[in-house]
Amino acid sequence: MFQDASDLAAMAEVLGRSSDYRVLRRLVPRPRSMPGSGQETKIGVLLDTETTGLDHRKDEVIELGMVKFGYTPDGRIIDVRDTFSAFNEPSEPIPAEITALTGITDDMVAGHKIDEAAVNAFVDDSVVLVIAHSSGFDRKFSERYGPVFERKAWACSATEVDWHQHGFEEAKLGYLLNGAGYFHQAHRAVDDCHALLEILDFDLPTTGAPALAVLLETARKKTVRIWAEQSPFELKDSLKRRGYRWSDGTDGRPKSWYVDVCDSALETELAFLRTEIYLRDVEPRLQQLTAFTRFSTRV
């Protein structure tokens, strides 16, 4: 029998060298460390929220977790600067299905409130980028609890890395973490941030570079949002297959199908709308997006 941690580590090392086995190690969060000298370093924040539901207009954050880290401009993570974790008591009891998913109970959040001053101090002027694994979800909730998030550039590690192109069948956090060789306690905010750190530091087999490098390249690009307003109802499936999403208009945006494309794909997408959807020459509403506006409630 293997008696201690060193024995288990040796067994994992042997199994890992075999093509017949894959070894997953429990994720141990990286300790805080001092920044190295002689390197150009940028500061980012990984963010995750746990909420009472999916609607940012009425549901509430019950936990906010963040990990502040240093990285080089080419996407190499070099240190962990700090962590932030806070509960928030919602105005209504936490739904049973949310407690079952996250393990967060009413007793755990009772009397707690996210301190905006503490959030501002953590996401200070040194932070140039906020990353979430579902920024379309997390940014909208975060901006309700801290206006500082409106002023930051954001990136989405789920949608702004083409994981399928890099050999992964899906983009779920747990699946990607397994691909990097780890498992963890899912659906707790700061634990998910530590998991995302390891995913972004993982060298992709297709490029030999860390996933963060791919994410940074995508996030830095401008995109254009095309609104296919008053498109024929019977062609909605064609739009869905093309990647268009539906806005129901209740949040102030147009009631319309829309899609985000890079600048280089704009003319191709306009040609599709004119020839396949409207069957005439149209000039759809366009919005220029950058990392500072993408995923925000303000767009």
Side-chain angles (χ1 to χ4, degrees), residues 66-264:
M66 294 185 284
V67 171
K68 185 183 293 186
F69 68 102
Y71 65 96
T72 59
D74 63 353
R76 291 284 174 187
I77 294 173
I78 56 175
D79 56 53
V80 172
R81 304 293 176 92
D82 205 355
T83 61
F84 180 99
S85 182
F87 284 129
N88 187 67
E89 183 178 11
S91 56
E92 300 287 341
I94 299 172
E97 61 270 21
I98 298 299
T99 294
L101 178 68
T102 65
I104 300 173
T105 66
D106 290 322
D107 288 341
M108 293 168 64
V109 301
H112 290 276
K113 182 179 180 180
I114 296 174
D115 184 342
E116 184 177 333
V119 171
N120 290 341
F122 192 89
V123 191
D124 59 15
D125 290 342
S126 69
V127 175
V128 300
L129 182 65
V130 178
I131 302 172
H133 199 60
S134 182
S135 288
F137 176 87
D138 289 304
R139 181 168 192 172
K140 293 178 177 65
F141 275 98
S142 299
E143 288 183 350
R144 282 180 52 191
Y145 289 86
V148 66
F149 294 115
E150 296 181 358
R151 304 190 295 270
K152 297 298 182 181
W154 280 69
C156 179
S157 51
T159 62
E160 293 189 301
V161 176
D162 188 342
W163 293 105
H164 188 267
Q165 175 186 331
H166 295 290
F168 295 86
E169 294 182 2
E170 58 180 85
K172 290 183 178 180
L173 189 74
Y175 177 83
L176 295 175
L177 185 65
N178 290 167
Y182 298 98
F183 67 93
H184 82 308
Q185 178 182 353
H187 299 298
R188 288 299 305 274
V190 78
D191 295 314
D192 283 352
C193 292
H194 285 296
L196 182 54
L197 184 78
E198 299 305 330
I199 291 168
L200 293 177
D201 202 35
F202 178 67
D203 286 342
L204 297 172
T206 50
T207 65
L212 179 59
V214 175
L215 177 60
L216 292 175
E217 181 180 1
T218 304
R220 289 166 180 154
K221 295 177 180 178
K222 293 181 180 180
T223 55
V224 180
R225 178 162 294 176
I226 306 172
W227 291 94
E229 296 176 273
Q230 300 179 4
S231 55
F233 176 80
E234 62 271 18
L235 295 178
K236 62 181 177 62
D237 290 338
S238 295
L239 292 168
K240 288 174 66 175
R241 286 193 296 270
R242 187 92 176 175
Y244 283 73
R245 291 171 286 176
W246 175 250
S247 165
D248 62 12
T250 58
D251 56 0
R253 299 187 301 170
K255 186 176 181 179
S256 170
W257 292 95
Y258 70 94
V259 71
D260 295 343
V261 300
C262 60
D263 282 337
S264 60

